[in-house]
Structure formats: structure tokens, C-alpha cells
């Protein structure tokens, strides 16, 4: 897999009227990688994808595909194909007609069209379906046709806009694996848009998390999960417990933070005493004890315990009402309504600098109000 | 018991469907039947209808003079339909693809004239196109012409009038068909390498063809019959089948012949609708 950036998105902005949908987005997509743009609905991820496809023009900024500036290129001139959320199969054409469409538009000889369509039908496991009409297909089959149709022109980049969102859970899991398999086999760069963090974590080589039109973090799934760069990423990807406080002591990489309910600590570099920070701790990293642990003084009351088979989920309420989630391999049961001390291995906490932008946003909202 | 049952099930049916059935029977079925019977009747020397079976009326329809008018009428209807389609398709496309406020305005531009009596609107065209009409006066004032040009009283004027009156009947079914088309279909097509023209012929037209069919039928058939348009704008030089029928009932005073012509026109209409259905047309977009 080459490290060469195939798609370069450089400082693009998109306005719809006064609505700033994509803000200063810069992102490189490497050749042959499976990159997922992850974000909640309305975060600008689909708009970004549509700008790469050419259906929307960035208000400013540039997009390059294979080193070529896309500014003047119409969608039909781009080496990029899209799988739409709604599939958008042509209802008046058979499966064969749908898949062959891109080749017909490129004026490929009939014989070759036939061969290529048959090959790709086998690849998406729809051999023998070429005469069916879209109305005679199930959701999963329609999905495969849509993917085959987009892949037939052998694009440099395949864009997928929440392609699995209309499928039921079981089928979705199966299609996730299949998409990943296809991507590896064809060695085509995929840009995949989804709001489903689990899907993103399981399929992607890298994930770009978007929020409010801005890129929050780009990284491999492990990085995104274990070292979230912002409060949004920490809370959006998986479950987490977030504490906000002020750095009270720094000793090497050991950082103590004073929060409302007491003192906690973590391990990180680049923090200074007096700085405002957020601390994120995953539920499965949380520990409890009946006696205090060095460095931690937060204490709470066990409120709820749910046994879900493999793990035991507990909720501990802090004196300020803040609910803390714990997840442990099923074992001993916590004393219900009893006081417990919370702690964790310092390296399991993730300290996050509040973003300048977040401060800016806070000020902006305050001024607006 | 059985009487009770009769009331329980029949009364609601009678109450709801009954009035409509009566209405249809009195104002559609019986008159049509009357026309059908009339078309097989004879007339005596004083042009009175006598109930004596004959096929002479249908035989008379094959008169050469009539045949010429059928051909002329079909040509007028054909050009009026073509004219409506060429103008109506882009217009319907525009309405269905534009933003909401403009959509309402454009839609109203089609609907509001539709609410005004078409006879009055046709007279309006006469005022506009006449020898001393606005168009001639404007052209004279601009020194583009020396003496008034005769725009009226030819087949072209009749085609224009038909197209004008029937334009909404073309636009509305087209609009319905185009509105149903998923916007992302156009994007997919462009994405797969099709330019505008290729997208239109491969994706848009095949999916809106039912609208094209129903629009064409709804313009073509009335164009055969709207005699007043041919009278007012064509000035007797461009009779359509409707004029023939009208004349038999008025000045010609040959009701059976007029009835036979009407029956033929109805038969042609049914045939076209059947053809439309055969081609996969959807009856709802015809307003049936």
C-alpha cells in the first residue's frame, strides 16, 4: 500500500446561504486505503463527499484527485464513482443494464461490456441475476448492484454515502465484511461516510471524525478510540466518562487534576499547572475499591448494576450527581448503594486540551444569547 | 332476518354510490346511447329524424371532402401536440426542479388561465393577431412591416390556438411524471460518465414516458374536436372533425350524420387510450 495521497482536500469551506456546512477542512486520503468520514447527521460529511464527487462546489478551497485539480471538472469527467445511500438504481433497466451503464457511457465495445459486467456480478455474488429488474431485488441485492455499478468503471476512488444504513443489522454486518473484502481485493481507495461508529471502527484503515463542519481528528481506529483528540471524539466514539477540571500538579508525565468531586490523575505530556483540561476514561478502564487509592479522592455511590452476559455494567453516582459508567468482566457484585472509591491506571486516562475553537464557540454562543 | 340484512348492507351502498350512478346514467350513459341509436337513423325529406335503421350515415363519412378534413384535422392535432410537447416538457421539468416559491408561481401561470373561459382567451388571440391587432400595430410602429400581415385564418393560427388552450393538459401529466423522478438518478448518471443529453435520453425520458403519452393523448384528442378554435382563429379555412359534427347539428341539420361522426370520434379516442394502456400507461395520470 503506497503512502501517496490520492485525494487531497485542501482548506475547503462550504456555505449554503449563511449556513457554514464545512469549515476549513483539510484531509489527505492515501492510495488504496479505506478512509471513513464519521460524524453525526448534519456534520457536513455527506457534503464533503458530494464535493469530491462533483455534485457540489466548495465555496473555497481545492480538491485534488491523483494530483489533478477538480475545480473545473464535471462529475462525468472525474475518475470517482459514488454509491448512493438510496441506491438510486435505474428502475427501467435490468441489473445488467444498470451495471453496464457506466461502460456504455464510455463507449466500450459491447463484447467487453458483457464480459466485464458478468465478472463483476460474480465478484459481488450476484451471478445469474443479470436479467432481474431492480423491483425484483431485495435490499441487500440492490446494494450489491449499486456497488457493482459504481465499481464497473474502475474508479480511482469509490465514494460510499452511508450505503448500509437501509439494511437490517444482520445484513449490515455481513455487507461490512464483504465491502472490506472487495476493497482489499480490488485495491481501490474507498471514502466511506457513516454515522455508525462501530461500522467505522471495524472497517476502516483510518477514520476522520467530523463535527459541526470541522475535522476533529484523523487516525487509525485504535488511535481514535484510545487517544481521542477532543471531547467530541471521546464522547462520540464508544462510551466514556468525562471529567473537567484544572491541572493541580505536574510531576514529569504524571498529571494531577482537581475536579469538582476530588482529585484524579493521569499520564500525559505538555500540560501545565493551572490549565483547564478534560479527562476521558473508558468504562472498561474504570476501577473501584472500598479504600482510597493513591492519587484519587473521588468517591461515589453504586446506583445500578446490569448484567449483560459477558460484562457487568455499573453506574456510580458522584456527590455532584454526575453518573460514572463502569464495565467489568462479570465477577463480584459491587455493594449496592454503598460508597466506593473510583480510580484507574494513570495511563488509561486521556487528558484533552480544550480546543481554541471550543472556547471560541462558547464565547460565540454566549454573545449570541 | 333476510330483510334486516338487506337493509344493513344495501342502504349504505345505495346512499353513497347511488347518486353518482344515477348522475352517470342520466347525463352520460343515456345521452351516449341516444347518440349511438341516432347514428343508425335516417332522415326524411324535411330533415326530420326517422327511426329507421340505416348504415348510410357511416357510408357518407367516407366522402372525399370529409376525408380531406379528417387528414387536416389530424395534422392540426399532431402539430398542436408536438408544439405543446416541445414547450411543455422543459417547462414541466423547470417546475418540478425549481425551489418552492418559484414552483408555485410557475404552476399558477399554467393553472390560472385554465380557470378562465377558453372562448374568451381565444378571442384574445384574435385581438392580438388581427389585422389591426397589437402585434401588427407594434410591427408597423417599429417599421418592420409596411402593411398589416394576416396572421389569422390559416391552419397555423388554429394549431397555435389549440396548443394554447390545451397546454395545461400537456404540462400537468408531464409535471406529475417528472416530479416522481428521483433527483439522485440524475446524479448517478452524471457520476457514471453521462453528459446532460445522454442522461436525458437514457434516464429521464424513459422514466417520464408515461407522462409524455398521457399529455399527448390529452392534447391530441380534444384538438380533433375544439371547433370554436378553428372557427375563431382558422376562419373556416382549417376545419377540424369538431367543425363537421357541429355543422351537422346546426346548419346542416343532419343529426344522424353528426351522431355517426361523434361515434367515430369516441371510438378513435377509446382506441388511443387502449393503445396508451397497452404501452404501459398509467390510467391515473389521464385523470381516469
Amino acid at each position: 500500500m503506497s503512502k501517496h495521497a490520492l485525494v487531497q482536500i485542501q482548506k475547503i469551506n462550504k456555505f449554503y446561504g449563511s449556513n457554514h456546512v464545512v469549515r476549513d477542512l483539510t484531509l489527505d486520503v492515501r492510495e488504496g486505503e479505506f478512509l471513513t468520514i464519521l460524524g453525526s447527521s448534519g456534520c457536513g460529511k455527506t457534503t464533503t463527499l458530494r464535493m469530491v464527487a462533483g455534485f457540489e462546489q466548495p465555496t473555497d478551497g481545492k480538491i485534488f484527485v491523483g494530483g489533478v485539480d477538480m475545480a473545473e471538472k464535471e462529475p462525468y469527467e472525474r475518475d470517482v464513482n459514488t454509491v448512493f445511500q438510496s441506491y438510486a438504481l435505474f428502475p427501467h433497466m435490468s441489473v445488467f443494464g444498470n451495471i453496464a451503464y457506466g461502460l456504455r457511457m464510455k463507449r466500450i465495445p459491447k463484447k467487453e461490456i458483457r464480459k466485464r459486467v458478468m465478472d463483476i456480478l460474480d465478484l459481488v455474488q450476484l451471478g445469474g441475476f443479470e436479467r432481474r429488474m431492480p423491483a425484483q431485488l431485495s435490499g441487500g441485492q440492490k446494494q450489491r448492484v449499486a456497488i457493482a455499478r459504481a465499481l464497473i468503471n474502475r474508479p480511482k476512488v469509490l465514494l460510499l454515502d452511508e450505503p448500509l444504513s437501509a439494511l437490517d443489522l444482520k445484513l449490515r454486518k455481513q455487507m461490512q465484511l464483504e465491502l472490506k473484502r472487495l476493497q482489499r481485493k480490488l485495491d481501490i481507495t474507498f471514502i466511506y461516510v457513516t454515522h455508525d461508529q462501530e461500522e467505522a471502527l471495524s472497517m476502516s484503515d483510518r477514520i476522520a471524525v467530523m463535527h459541526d463542519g470541522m475535522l476533529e481528528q484523523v487516525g487509525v481506529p485504535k488511535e481514535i478510540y484510545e487517544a481521542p483528540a477532543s471531547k467530541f471524539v471521546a464522547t462520540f466514539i464508544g462510551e466514556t466518562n468525562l471529567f473537567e477540571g484544572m491541572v493541580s500538579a505536574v510531576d514529569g508525565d504524571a498529571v494531577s487534576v482537581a475536579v469538582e468531586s476530588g482529585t484524579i490523575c493521569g499520564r500525559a505530556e505538555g500540560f501545565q499547572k493551572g490549565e483547564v483540561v478534560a479527562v476521558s476514561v473508558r468504562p472498561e478502564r474504570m476501577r473501584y475499591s472500598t479504600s482510597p487509592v493513591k492519587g484519587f479522592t473521588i468517591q461515589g455511590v453504586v446506583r445500578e448494576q446490569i448484567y449483560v452476559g459477558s460484562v457487568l455494567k455499573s453506574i456510580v453516582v458522584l456527590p455532584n450527581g454526575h453518573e460514572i459508567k463502569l464495565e467489568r468482566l462479570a465477577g463480584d457484585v459491587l455493594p449496592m448503594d454503598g460508597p466506593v472509591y473510583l480510580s484507574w491506571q494513570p495511563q488509561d486516562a486521556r487528558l484533552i486540551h480544550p480546543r481554541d475553537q471550543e472556547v471560541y464557540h462558547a464565547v460565540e454562543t454566549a454573545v449570541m444569547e | 332476518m333476510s330483510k334486516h340484512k338487506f337493509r344493513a348492507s344495501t342502504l349504505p351502498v345505495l346512499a353513497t354510490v347511488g347518486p353518482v350512478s344515477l348522475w352517470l346514467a342520466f347525463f352520460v350513459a343515456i345521452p351516449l346511447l341516444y347518440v349511438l341509436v341516432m347514428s343508425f337513423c335516417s332522415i326524411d325529406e324535411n330533415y326530420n329524424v326517422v327511426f329507421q335503421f340505416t348504415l348510410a350515415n357511416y357510408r357518407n363519412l367516407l366522402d372525399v371532402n370529409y376525408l380531406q378534413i379528417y387528414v387536416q384535422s389530424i395534422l392540426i392535432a399532431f402539430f398542436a401536440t408536438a408544439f405543446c410537447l416541445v414547450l411543455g416538457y422543459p417547462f414541466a421539468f423547470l417546475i418540478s426542479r425549481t425551489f418552492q416559491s418559484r414552483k408555485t408561481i410557475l404552476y399558477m401561470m399554467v393553472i390560472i388561465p385554465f380557470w378562465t373561459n377558453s372562448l374568451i382567451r381565444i378571442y384574445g388571440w384574435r385581438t392580438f393577431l388581427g389585422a389591426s391587432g397589437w402585434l401588427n400595430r407594434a410591427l408597423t410602429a417599429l417599421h418592420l412591416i409596411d402593411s398589416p400581415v394576416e396572421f389569422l385564418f390559416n391552419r397555423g393560427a388554429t394549431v397555435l390556438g389549440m396548443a394554447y388552450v390545451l397546454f395545461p393538459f400537456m404540462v400537468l401529466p408531464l409535471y406529475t411524471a417528472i416530479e416522481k423522478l428521483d433527483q439522485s438518478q440524475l446524479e448517478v448518471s452524471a457520476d457514471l460518465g453521462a453528459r446532460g443529453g445522454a442522461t436525458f435520453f437514457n434516464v429521464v425520458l424513459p422514466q417520464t414516458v408515461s407522462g409524455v403519452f398521457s399529455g399527448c393523448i390529452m392534447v391530441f384528442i380534444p384538438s380533433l374536436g375544439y371547433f370554436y378554435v378553428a372557427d375563431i382563429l382558422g376562419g373556416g379555412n382549417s376545419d377540424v372533425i369538431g367543425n363537421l359534427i357541429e355543422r351537422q347539428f346546426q346548419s346542416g341539420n343532419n343529426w344522424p350524420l353528426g351522431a355517426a361522426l361523434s361515434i367515430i370520434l369516441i371510438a378513435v379516442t377509446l382506441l388511443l387510450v387502449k393503445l396508451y394502456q397497452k404501452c404501459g400507461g398509467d390510467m391515473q395520470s389521464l385523470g381516469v
Side-chain angles (χ1 to χ4, degrees):
Chain A
M1 201 184 290
S2 150
K3 290 285 170 196
H4 169 70
L6 182 62
V7 179
Q8 291 163 287
I9 299 172
Q10 295 181 349
K11 281 187 91 68
I12 54 167
N13 279 283
K14 178 70 183 174
F15 286 89
Y16 287 121
S18 62
N19 201 354
H20 202 167
V21 191
V22 175
R23 301 165 189 253
D24 271 337
L25 185 94
T26 298
L27 178 65
D28 280 357
V29 185
R30 297 168 194 155
E31 199 165 344
E33 86 171 324
F34 193 126
L35 181 116
T36 299
I37 303 179
L38 175 66
S40 44
S41 67
C43 73
K45 58 190 192 301
T46 295
T47 307
T48 305
L49 199 75
R50 290 173 60 80
M51 286 192 282
V52 177
F55 304 133
E56 310 274 353
Q57 291 304 319
T59 311
D60 61 50
K62 282 190 180 305
I63 297 173
F64 296 88
V65 176
V68 182
D69 187 353
M70 289 288 117
E72 301 294 317
K73 300 276 188 200
E74 294 291 331
Y76 54 77
E77 297 170 315
R78 301 187 183 201
D79 259 352
V80 167
N81 286 127
T82 312
V83 177
F84 285 76
Q85 187 172 8
S86 59
Y87 316 145
L89 298 182
F90 301 129
H92 59 297
M93 293 183 195
S94 64
V95 168
F96 185 92
N98 266 283
I99 298 175
Y101 191 81
L103 295 176
R104 276 207 301 137
M105 292 303 123
K106 295 248 148 78
R107 303 188 191 288
I108 306 288
K110 273 223 165 92
K111 230 177 157 178
E112 195 189 333
I113 291 183
R114 177 138 204 103
K115 189 184 173 307
R116 277 171 70 175
V117 172
M118 290 307 168
D119 285 352
I120 206 147
L121 273 171
D122 283 339
L123 192 68
V124 296
Q125 300 170 9
L126 277 180
F129 279 74
E130 63 272 14
R131 285 168 189 277
R132 294 267 191 109
M133 296 305 279
Q136 298 168 303
L137 300 177
S138 71
Q141 290 165 341
K142 281 183 194 163
Q143 182 59 72
R144 287 158 203 261
V145 175
I147 292 166
R149 183 175 65 173
L151 281 172
I152 195 88
N153 279 354
R154 297 173 187 156
K156 284 192 178 131
V157 186
L158 186 72
L159 309 175
L160 302 104
D161 184 9
E162 307 222 17
L164 307 182
S165 59
L167 305 178
D168 61 61
L169 187 66
K170 202 175 157 197
L171 198 54
R172 193 157 56 206
K173 297 268 179 220
Q174 186 193 335
M175 285 301 292
Q176 284 174 9
L177 293 175
E178 233 170 276
L179 271 175
K180 187 73 199 158
R181 178 184 64 86
L182 262 178
Q183 193 259 339
R184 284 219 192 89
K185 186 161 181 180
L186 299 170
D187 199 24
I188 288 178
T189 308
F190 275 33
I191 304 181
Y192 189 97
V193 158
T194 185
H195 65 268
D196 182 338
Q197 39 118 348
E198 208 184 310
E199 200 166 281
L201 289 171
S202 62
M203 297 170 82
S204 323
D205 293 324
R206 285 196 306 154
I207 298 175
V209 184
M210 272 185 85
H211 176 52
D212 228 358
M214 277 180 296
L215 192 62
E216 292 272 323
Q217 187 175 5
V218 188
V220 299
K222 195 170 147 71
E223 244 171 66
I224 298 279
Y225 186 77
E226 290 182 3
S230 70
K231 276 185 348 192
F232 176 79
V233 177
T235 48
F236 190 70
I237 316 287
E239 277 192 303
T240 198
N241 296 296
L242 211 59
F243 299 90
E244 283 175 60
M246 191 183 278
V247 177
S248 58
V250 180
D251 179 14
D253 63 352
V255 181
S256 288
V257 179
V259 297
E260 204 181 340
S261 315
T263 308
I264 55 177
C265 56
R267 198 157 281 170
E269 297 200 338
F271 288 87
Q272 286 162 1
K273 195 172 174 204
E275 196 178 342
V276 175
V277 292
V279 181
S280 157
V281 185
R282 299 286 177 196
E284 67 272 18
R285 304 287 189 190
M286 276 279 176
R287 305 215 173 149
Y288 76 95
S289 54
T290 41
S291 54
V293 173
K294 188 174 172 285
F296 294 87
T297 62
I298 52 172
Q299 202 179 3
V301 173
V302 180
R303 183 53 44 85
E304 223 172 311
Q305 298 195 75
I306 309 153
Y307 176 74
V308 289
S310 52
V311 291
L312 190 65
K313 293 186 173 188
S314 325
I315 289 174
V316 172
V317 181
L318 299 184
N320 63 359
H322 201 132
E323 290 189 343
I324 301 297
K325 288 165 274 195
L326 278 85
E327 223 175 87
R328 296 163 307 123
L329 292 175
D332 52 331
V333 174
L334 291 176
M336 204 53 168
D337 289 324
V340 286
Y341 289 94
L342 293 173
S343 65
W344 51 82
Q345 297 285 317
Q347 64 271 22
D348 287 343
R350 169 76 184 164
L351 271 69
I352 298 164
H353 289 283
R355 283 268 175 97
D356 290 343
Q357 259 119 348
E358 276 168 358
V359 175
Y360 172 75
H361 267 303
V363 171
E364 199 176 42
T365 0
V367 170
M368 297 281 273
E369 281 162 5
Chain B
M1 178 65 197
S2 74
K3 197 175 178 185
H4 181 77
K5 204 172 177 182
F6 164 81
R7 263 193 209 152
S9 61
T10 316
L11 212 59
V13 173
L14 265 184
T16 49
V17 184
V20 182
S21 308
L22 276 180
W23 176 277
L24 286 177
F26 274 115
F27 294 102
V28 181
I30 294 175
L32 264 179
L33 213 63
Y34 183 59
V35 172
L36 185 66
V37 171
M38 174 84 74
S39 73
F40 292 105
C41 287
S42 322
I43 45 170
D44 63 13
E45 58 277 14
N46 295 323
Y47 294 99
N48 292 318
V49 180
V50 272
F51 288 93
Q52 189 179 20
F53 180 81
T54 176
L55 287 173
N57 299 315
Y58 287 94
R59 224 175 295 126
N60 288 341
L61 294 183
L62 297 174
D63 185 284
V64 179
N65 293 321
Y66 282 2
L67 289 177
Q68 273 175 351
I69 289 180
Y70 303 154
V71 172
Q72 172 170 281
S73 183
I74 286 169
L75 282 177
I76 287 172
F78 173 81
F79 283 111
T81 309
F83 196 56
C84 280
L85 183 61
V86 168
L87 285 181
Y89 201 103
F91 189 73
F93 200 87
L94 188 68
I95 302 182
S96 65
R97 288 286 170 253
T98 194
F99 48 89
Q100 191 57 49
S101 59
R102 189 192 279 168
K103 187 179 264 190
T104 314
I105 293 173
L106 290 175
Y107 201 75
M108 281 297 140
M109 277 170 63
V110 179
I111 294 297
I112 288 176
F114 192 48
W115 290 338
T116 320
N117 188 307
S118 57
L119 201 56
I120 293 169
R121 286 184 291 137
I122 287 297
Y123 271 111
W125 273 105
R126 196 153 146 162
T127 319
F128 181 71
L129 294 176
S132 55
W134 294 2
L135 187 59
N136 268 316
R137 267 191 270 166
L139 291 174
T140 314
L142 291 168
H143 299 289
L144 291 171
I145 52 172
D146 298 326
S147 55
V149 177
E150 185 62 280
F151 293 112
L152 291 172
F153 313 128
N154 53 45
R155 286 176 201 156
T158 307
V159 168
L160 177 77
M162 294 289 186
Y164 169 71
V165 171
L166 295 165
F167 189 65
F169 291 95
M170 179 62 85
V171 170
L172 297 181
L174 280 176
Y175 168 73
T176 314
I178 297 169
E179 184 79 356
K180 274 190 220 150
L181 186 72
D182 181 6
Q183 176 73 33
S184 49
Q185 299 257 323
L186 307 185
E187 289 181 349
V188 170
S189 178
D191 193 61
L192 293 170
R195 284 156 190 273
T199 297
F200 178 76
F201 286 108
N202 288 301
V203 176
V204 180
L205 194 58
Q207 290 190 61
T208 53
V209 79
S210 75
V212 173
F213 265 133
S214 51
C216 285
I217 284 185
M218 288 172 60
V219 172
F220 188 84
I221 292 169
S223 291
L224 296 174
Y226 275 16
F227 61 88
Y228 60 90
V229 177
D231 272 349
I232 297 167
L233 296 179
N237 292 322
S238 54
D239 283 352
V240 295
I241 296 175
N243 293 86
L244 291 183
I245 298 174
E246 184 243 352
R247 220 161 288 147
Q248 296 316 320
F249 283 99
Q250 304 269 330
S251 54
N253 208 10
N254 189 345
W255 286 30
L257 186 60
L261 262 168
S262 304
I263 293 296
I264 291 297
L265 198 56
I266 291 169
V268 169
T269 306
L270 289 178
L271 212 70
L272 282 177
V273 172
K274 203 73 207 164
L275 193 76
Y276 163 76
Q277 235 180 337
K278 267 265 154 48
C279 297
D282 147 38
M283 293 309 276
Q284 248 172 11
S285 48
L286 276 185
V288 180

